[in-house]
Amino acid sequence: MSRQDYTFTSESVSEGHPDKLCDRVSDAVLDAFLTAEPNARVACETFATTNRVVVGGEVGLSSKEATKAMVERVDAIVRDCVRDIGYEQKKFHWEKIKVHNYLHEQSAHIAQGVDRDGAGDQGIMFGYACRETPELMPAPIQYAHAILRRLAEVRKSGKEPTLGPDAKSQLSLRYVNGKPVEVTSIVLSTQHTSKRQTSKVIRGIVEPYIREILPEGWITKKTEWHVNPTGTFVIGGPDGDAGLTGRKIIVDTYGGAAPHGGGAFSGKDPTKVDRSAAYAARYLAKNVVAADLADRCTIQISYAIGVAKPLSIYVDTHGTGKVEDAAIERAISSAMDLTPRGIRTQLGLTKPIYARTSAYGHFGRAPEADGGFSWERTDLIDAIKKAV
């Protein structure tokens, strides 16, 4: 029997965090290639530091000429990302940064397996869903994301012009009988524009938005607040700390409330099962919970490079299942084609829908009309119930 009374913590980081800026650039490069060709191959990594952004990795379109032409667009893509996030600092400005582009063609030895519809790599991928929020996500990470997304909105709208792009949040929630009931501590660090703005001043700016986001009654007199606890936070972004694609994988998924296979998402086209199979696992887990077959569901899928069929499928409903876990395993196998091609087709993953995933979580978002966040749909309920 799992514990029912405990405190659990998750963190999130904003789109202006150095690592998230790098995720954004990598996914924007991916979107540009997918706009040119739905079957484009991309494995793009980004590194950012003071006045500098380095982009590298393997890419490929149907011809060398097309690939070369697209690679030449990377400088503009990087600057557009940095400008949209909002960096116009002395030592990190979208116009003045130096962009180093080391993208090159995909390895033929990797391509040969993928071209036969096999997985782009070996690996294990996890999906998770639970009843803690309407989005069927763990509450700590879902609300940590929501706080930073709201602060980004008011910063960009001009309503709170003294807030900067770089920010982090952290929520500790107390659970009773397995349900979140109270925020025991709130940590919020946000970049700001004036050295004269104290932690108290910043708290006065952000607290109304935090209270707006969190459910009524969760913040109590006992809730501990830590807003900009180190004091001044004017120097932020890659000028304050270097960034790298793929370093915030727990922020990207379930905030530590569920396992992670280890593979990052951003910058990878959907032939890479690190990304597409993790999306499929979330899709299946969410539909299992939405179908009322369990209150919590963890799904693991594994693959071998160049092999299309998954090597294993594992389901754990943590003692909350209405039917046996083995029956759910069989049901999801029949309800969805879990080959890499099957996943891409079912979820429509060959579209330029990835830059928007690079901040505030890949999961727990609303499905969008153009196919964005398609893995958050609950349109597989009937198929899974029928298969069970």
mmCIF file of all heavy atoms in Angstrom, residues 150-165 190-193 197 201-210 212:
data_model
loop_
_atom_site.group_PDB
_atom_site.id
_atom_site.type_symbol
_atom_site.label_atom_id
_atom_site.label_comp_id
_atom_site.label_asym_id
_atom_site.label_seq_id
_atom_site.Cartn_x
_atom_site.Cartn_y
_atom_site.Cartn_z
ATOM 1 N N ARG A 150 1.791 32.211 -16.381
ATOM 2 C CA ARG A 150 1.032 33.438 -16.102
ATOM 3 C C ARG A 150 1.963 34.641 -15.966
ATOM 4 O O ARG A 150 1.665 35.732 -16.483
ATOM 5 C CB ARG A 150 0.214 33.259 -14.817
ATOM 6 C CG ARG A 150 -0.635 34.479 -14.466
ATOM 7 C CD ARG A 150 -1.743 34.676 -15.472
ATOM 8 N NE ARG A 150 -2.568 35.831 -15.129
ATOM 9 C CZ ARG A 150 -2.821 36.831 -15.960
ATOM 10 N NH1 ARG A 150 -2.314 36.835 -17.196
ATOM 11 N NH2 ARG A 150 -3.593 37.831 -15.585
ATOM 12 N N LEU A 151 3.091 34.467 -15.295
ATOM 13 C CA LEU A 151 4.037 35.571 -15.157
ATOM 14 C C LEU A 151 4.623 35.972 -16.508
ATOM 15 O O LEU A 151 4.868 37.155 -16.766
ATOM 16 C CB LEU A 151 5.152 35.187 -14.181
ATOM 17 C CG LEU A 151 4.728 35.014 -12.721
ATOM 18 C CD1 LEU A 151 5.928 34.624 -11.863
ATOM 19 C CD2 LEU A 151 4.065 36.282 -12.169
ATOM 20 N N ALA A 152 4.834 34.998 -17.391
ATOM 21 C CA ALA A 152 5.323 35.313 -18.742
ATOM 22 C C ALA A 152 4.281 36.119 -19.513
ATOM 23 O O ALA A 152 4.622 37.043 -20.264
ATOM 24 C CB ALA A 152 5.680 34.034 -19.491
ATOM 25 N N GLU A 153 3.007 35.787 -19.322
ATOM 26 C CA GLU A 153 1.933 36.508 -20.010
ATOM 27 C C GLU A 153 1.913 37.979 -19.599
ATOM 28 O O GLU A 153 1.842 38.873 -20.459
ATOM 29 C CB GLU A 153 0.585 35.859 -19.696
ATOM 30 C CG GLU A 153 0.372 34.502 -20.344
ATOM 31 C CD GLU A 153 -0.877 33.798 -19.835
ATOM 32 O OE1 GLU A 153 -1.546 34.342 -18.924
ATOM 33 O OE2 GLU A 153 -1.171 32.699 -20.329
ATOM 34 N N VAL A 154 1.985 38.243 -18.304
ATOM 35 C CA VAL A 154 1.895 39.642 -17.861
ATOM 36 C C VAL A 154 3.188 40.399 -18.153
ATOM 37 O O VAL A 154 3.170 41.625 -18.332
ATOM 38 C CB VAL A 154 1.520 39.730 -16.368
ATOM 39 C CG1 VAL A 154 0.120 39.166 -16.143
ATOM 40 C CG2 VAL A 154 2.529 39.026 -15.471
ATOM 41 N N ARG A 155 4.300 39.688 -18.225
ATOM 42 C CA ARG A 155 5.557 40.339 -18.625
ATOM 43 C C ARG A 155 5.482 40.763 -20.078
ATOM 44 O O ARG A 155 5.806 41.906 -20.431
ATOM 45 C CB ARG A 155 6.736 39.382 -18.409
ATOM 46 C CG ARG A 155 8.055 39.871 -19.007
ATOM 47 C CD ARG A 155 9.195 38.919 -18.714
ATOM 48 N NE ARG A 155 9.047 37.623 -19.320
ATOM 49 C CZ ARG A 155 9.411 37.327 -20.565
ATOM 50 N NH1 ARG A 155 9.918 38.269 -21.358
ATOM 51 N NH2 ARG A 155 9.261 36.098 -21.042
ATOM 52 N N LYS A 156 5.068 39.861 -20.943
ATOM 53 C CA LYS A 156 5.050 40.144 -22.377
ATOM 54 C C LYS A 156 3.962 41.144 -22.757
ATOM 55 O O LYS A 156 4.107 41.889 -23.734
ATOM 56 C CB LYS A 156 4.874 38.844 -23.157
ATOM 57 C CG LYS A 156 6.102 37.946 -23.123
ATOM 58 C CD LYS A 156 5.904 36.733 -24.009
ATOM 59 C CE LYS A 156 7.187 35.968 -24.198
ATOM 60 N NZ LYS A 156 7.048 34.837 -25.129
ATOM 61 N N SER A 157 2.873 41.166 -21.995
ATOM 62 C CA SER A 157 1.784 42.105 -22.302
ATOM 63 C C SER A 157 2.133 43.533 -21.910
ATOM 64 O O SER A 157 1.468 44.481 -22.323
ATOM 65 C CB SER A 157 0.509 41.676 -21.580
ATOM 66 O OG SER A 157 0.620 41.913 -20.183
ATOM 67 N N GLY A 158 3.178 43.696 -21.098
ATOM 68 C CA GLY A 158 3.548 45.010 -20.610
ATOM 69 C C GLY A 158 2.910 45.363 -19.279
ATOM 70 O O GLY A 158 3.182 46.426 -18.712
ATOM 71 N N LYS A 159 2.073 44.473 -18.752
ATOM 72 C CA LYS A 159 1.412 44.735 -17.477
ATOM 73 C C LYS A 159 2.419 44.750 -16.330
ATOM 74 O O LYS A 159 2.256 45.508 -15.360
ATOM 75 C CB LYS A 159 0.323 43.689 -17.223
ATOM 76 C CG LYS A 159 -0.550 43.988 -16.020
ATOM 77 C CD LYS A 159 -1.679 42.971 -15.896
ATOM 78 C CE LYS A 159 -2.571 43.275 -14.706
ATOM 79 N NZ LYS A 159 -3.678 42.294 -14.573
ATOM 80 N N GLU A 160 3.442 43.896 -16.414
ATOM 81 C CA GLU A 160 4.499 43.848 -15.394
ATOM 82 C C GLU A 160 5.854 44.005 -16.085
ATOM 83 O O GLU A 160 6.617 43.056 -16.241
ATOM 84 C CB GLU A 160 4.433 42.540 -14.598
ATOM 85 C CG GLU A 160 3.131 42.307 -13.863
ATOM 86 C CD GLU A 160 2.881 43.312 -12.750
ATOM 87 O OE1 GLU A 160 3.808 44.079 -12.411
ATOM 88 O OE2 GLU A 160 1.758 43.321 -12.216
ATOM 89 N N PRO A 161 6.192 45.211 -16.519
ATOM 90 C CA PRO A 161 7.383 45.428 -17.341
ATOM 91 C C PRO A 161 8.699 45.239 -16.607
ATOM 92 O O PRO A 161 9.752 45.148 -17.244
ATOM 93 C CB PRO A 161 7.224 46.881 -17.804
ATOM 94 C CG PRO A 161 6.396 47.526 -16.740
ATOM 95 C CD PRO A 161 5.444 46.461 -16.285
ATOM 96 N N THR A 162 8.684 45.188 -15.268
ATOM 97 C CA THR A 162 9.946 45.040 -14.538
ATOM 98 C C THR A 162 10.358 43.587 -14.353
ATOM 99 O O THR A 162 11.451 43.324 -13.844
ATOM 100 C CB THR A 162 9.859 45.715 -13.150
ATOM 101 O OG1 THR A 162 8.884 45.041 -12.356
ATOM 102 C CG2 THR A 162 9.511 47.188 -13.286
ATOM 103 N N LEU A 163 9.513 42.640 -14.750
ATOM 104 C CA LEU A 163 9.891 41.225 -14.682
ATOM 105 C C LEU A 163 10.758 40.872 -15.884
ATOM 106 O O LEU A 163 10.549 41.375 -16.983
ATOM 107 C CB LEU A 163 8.646 40.333 -14.658
ATOM 108 C CG LEU A 163 7.707 40.484 -13.458
ATOM 109 C CD1 LEU A 163 6.556 39.488 -13.569
ATOM 110 C CD2 LEU A 163 8.449 40.289 -12.142
ATOM 111 N N GLY A 164 11.731 39.983 -15.672
ATOM 112 C CA GLY A 164 12.605 39.535 -16.744
ATOM 113 C C GLY A 164 12.234 38.145 -17.228
ATOM 114 O O GLY A 164 11.406 37.455 -16.630
ATOM 115 N N PRO A 165 12.859 37.670 -18.317
ATOM 116 C CA PRO A 165 12.484 36.390 -18.916
ATOM 117 C C PRO A 165 12.860 35.163 -18.090
ATOM 118 O O PRO A 165 12.213 34.125 -18.178
ATOM 119 C CB PRO A 165 13.249 36.377 -20.249
ATOM 120 C CG PRO A 165 13.644 37.795 -20.499
ATOM 121 C CD PRO A 165 13.815 38.415 -19.158
ATOM 122 N N THR A 190 12.598 35.201 -9.843
ATOM 123 C CA THR A 190 12.384 35.785 -11.154
ATOM 124 C C THR A 190 13.359 36.927 -11.400
ATOM 125 O O THR A 190 13.632 37.741 -10.507
ATOM 126 C CB THR A 190 10.938 36.296 -11.331
ATOM 127 O OG1 THR A 190 10.794 36.877 -12.642
ATOM 128 C CG2 THR A 190 10.570 37.340 -10.285
ATOM 129 N N GLN A 191 13.870 36.964 -12.599
ATOM 130 C CA GLN A 191 14.725 38.067 -13.023
ATOM 131 C C GLN A 191 13.907 39.361 -13.014
ATOM 132 O O GLN A 191 12.696 39.358 -13.258
ATOM 133 C CB GLN A 191 15.238 37.767 -14.432
ATOM 134 C CG GLN A 191 16.248 38.733 -14.983
ATOM 135 C CD GLN A 191 16.638 38.368 -16.416
ATOM 136 O OE1 GLN A 191 16.028 37.510 -17.037
ATOM 137 N NE2 GLN A 191 17.651 39.029 -16.939
ATOM 138 N N HIS A 192 14.591 40.482 -12.708
ATOM 139 C CA HIS A 192 13.908 41.781 -12.714
ATOM 140 C C HIS A 192 14.856 42.839 -13.260
ATOM 141 O O HIS A 192 16.050 42.582 -13.458
ATOM 142 C CB HIS A 192 13.408 42.138 -11.306
ATOM 143 C CG HIS A 192 14.453 42.042 -10.236
ATOM 144 N ND1 HIS A 192 15.153 43.123 -9.765
ATOM 145 C CD2 HIS A 192 14.928 40.966 -9.561
ATOM 146 C CE1 HIS A 192 16.000 42.738 -8.832
ATOM 147 N NE2 HIS A 192 15.895 41.423 -8.682
ATOM 148 N N THR A 193 14.340 44.020 -13.508
ATOM 149 C CA THR A 193 15.113 44.998 -14.279
ATOM 150 C C THR A 193 15.889 45.990 -13.428
ATOM 151 O O THR A 193 16.843 46.604 -13.906
ATOM 152 C CB THR A 193 14.175 45.793 -15.203
ATOM 153 O OG1 THR A 193 13.168 46.444 -14.416
ATOM 154 C CG2 THR A 193 13.514 44.880 -16.214
ATOM 155 N N GLN A 197 14.913 46.857 -6.732
ATOM 156 C CA GLN A 197 13.761 46.011 -6.402
ATOM 157 C C GLN A 197 14.195 44.918 -5.429
ATOM 158 O O GLN A 197 14.949 44.016 -5.779
ATOM 159 C CB GLN A 197 13.166 45.395 -7.666
ATOM 160 C CG GLN A 197 12.439 46.400 -8.543
ATOM 161 C CD GLN A 197 11.926 45.769 -9.822
ATOM 162 O OE1 GLN A 197 12.702 45.230 -10.607
ATOM 163 N NE2 GLN A 197 10.625 45.820 -10.024
ATOM 164 N N VAL A 201 9.627 43.673 -2.689
ATOM 165 C CA VAL A 201 8.971 44.341 -3.820
ATOM 166 C C VAL A 201 8.551 43.313 -4.863
ATOM 167 O O VAL A 201 7.427 43.361 -5.397
ATOM 168 C CB VAL A 201 9.911 45.401 -4.438
ATOM 169 C CG1 VAL A 201 9.346 45.914 -5.760
ATOM 170 C CG2 VAL A 201 10.125 46.553 -3.470
ATOM 171 N N ILE A 202 9.441 42.382 -5.165
ATOM 172 C CA ILE A 202 9.123 41.356 -6.161
ATOM 173 C C ILE A 202 7.968 40.482 -5.685
ATOM 174 O O ILE A 202 7.071 40.136 -6.460
ATOM 175 C CB ILE A 202 10.365 40.500 -6.470
ATOM 176 C CG1 ILE A 202 11.476 41.366 -7.082
ATOM 177 C CG2 ILE A 202 10.000 39.353 -7.418
ATOM 178 C CD1 ILE A 202 11.100 42.041 -8.382
ATOM 179 N N ARG A 203 7.957 40.149 -4.394
ATOM 180 C CA ARG A 203 6.832 39.362 -3.882
ATOM 181 C C ARG A 203 5.518 40.119 -4.059
ATOM 182 O O ARG A 203 4.486 39.527 -4.414
ATOM 183 C CB ARG A 203 7.033 39.004 -2.413
ATOM 184 C CG ARG A 203 5.827 38.265 -1.841
ATOM 185 C CD ARG A 203 6.038 37.716 -0.451
ATOM 186 N NE ARG A 203 4.782 37.211 0.095
ATOM 187 C CZ ARG A 203 4.651 36.578 1.256
ATOM 188 N NH1 ARG A 203 5.730 36.360 2.008
ATOM 189 N NH2 ARG A 203 3.464 36.162 1.680
ATOM 190 N N GLY A 204 5.550 41.410 -3.840
ATOM 191 C CA GLY A 204 4.341 42.207 -4.035
ATOM 192 C C GLY A 204 3.835 42.154 -5.467
ATOM 193 O O GLY A 204 2.621 42.231 -5.707
ATOM 194 N N ILE A 205 4.756 42.007 -6.431
ATOM 195 C CA ILE A 205 4.363 41.914 -7.839
ATOM 196 C C ILE A 205 3.794 40.539 -8.168
ATOM 197 O O ILE A 205 2.750 40.423 -8.810
ATOM 198 C CB ILE A 205 5.575 42.212 -8.752
ATOM 199 C CG1 ILE A 205 6.018 43.675 -8.599
ATOM 200 C CG2 ILE A 205 5.243 41.901 -10.213
ATOM 201 C CD1 ILE A 205 7.319 43.992 -9.311
ATOM 202 N N VAL A 206 4.463 39.477 -7.717
ATOM 203 C CA VAL A 206 4.113 38.127 -8.186
ATOM 204 C C VAL A 206 3.031 37.449 -7.351
ATOM 205 O O VAL A 206 2.313 36.574 -7.861
ATOM 206 C CB VAL A 206 5.360 37.221 -8.248
ATOM 207 C CG1 VAL A 206 6.424 37.840 -9.148
ATOM 208 C CG2 VAL A 206 5.933 36.939 -6.859
ATOM 209 N N GLU A 207 2.894 37.832 -6.086
ATOM 210 C CA GLU A 207 1.970 37.098 -5.215
ATOM 211 C C GLU A 207 0.525 37.090 -5.732
ATOM 212 O O GLU A 207 -0.129 36.031 -5.697
ATOM 213 C CB GLU A 207 2.009 37.653 -3.784
ATOM 214 C CG GLU A 207 1.117 36.870 -2.842
ATOM 215 C CD GLU A 207 1.278 37.267 -1.384
ATOM 216 O OE1 GLU A 207 2.309 37.888 -1.029
ATOM 217 O OE2 GLU A 207 0.373 36.946 -0.587
ATOM 218 N N PRO A 208 -0.026 38.196 -6.223
ATOM 219 C CA PRO A 208 -1.412 38.138 -6.722
ATOM 220 C C PRO A 208 -1.591 37.117 -7.851
ATOM 221 O O PRO A 208 -2.639 36.456 -7.930
ATOM 222 C CB PRO A 208 -1.668 39.566 -7.215
ATOM 223 C CG PRO A 208 -0.705 40.412 -6.454
ATOM 224 C CD PRO A 208 0.515 39.574 -6.276
ATOM 225 N N TYR A 209 -0.595 36.983 -8.710
ATOM 226 C CA TYR A 209 -0.715 36.035 -9.821
ATOM 227 C C TYR A 209 -0.607 34.594 -9.326
ATOM 228 O O TYR A 209 -1.289 33.697 -9.852
ATOM 229 C CB TYR A 209 0.356 36.330 -10.872
ATOM 230 C CG TYR A 209 0.240 37.723 -11.446
ATOM 231 C CD1 TYR A 209 1.184 38.702 -11.140
ATOM 232 C CD2 TYR A 209 -0.835 38.070 -12.256
ATOM 233 C CE1 TYR A 209 1.068 39.990 -11.647
ATOM 234 C CE2 TYR A 209 -0.960 39.354 -12.771
ATOM 235 C CZ TYR A 209 -0.002 40.309 -12.458
ATOM 236 O OH TYR A 209 -0.128 41.583 -12.957
ATOM 237 N N ILE A 210 0.234 34.369 -8.327
ATOM 238 C CA ILE A 210 0.345 33.022 -7.757
ATOM 239 C C ILE A 210 -0.963 32.626 -7.088
ATOM 240 O O ILE A 210 -1.459 31.508 -7.266
ATOM 241 C CB ILE A 210 1.523 32.969 -6.758
ATOM 242 C CG1 ILE A 210 2.853 33.175 -7.500
ATOM 243 C CG2 ILE A 210 1.533 31.646 -6.000
ATOM 244 C CD1 ILE A 210 4.067 33.290 -6.597
ATOM 245 N N GLU A 212 -3.849 33.731 -7.812
ATOM 246 C CA GLU A 212 -4.838 33.576 -8.892
ATOM 247 C C GLU A 212 -4.782 32.171 -9.491
ATOM 248 O O GLU A 212 -5.817 31.601 -9.874
ATOM 249 C CB GLU A 212 -4.528 34.626 -9.966
ATOM 250 C CG GLU A 212 -5.281 34.502 -11.266
ATOM 251 C CD GLU A 212 -4.706 35.446 -12.312
ATOM 252 O OE1 GLU A 212 -4.410 36.611 -11.988
ATOM 253 O OE2 GLU A 212 -4.540 35.004 -13.470
#
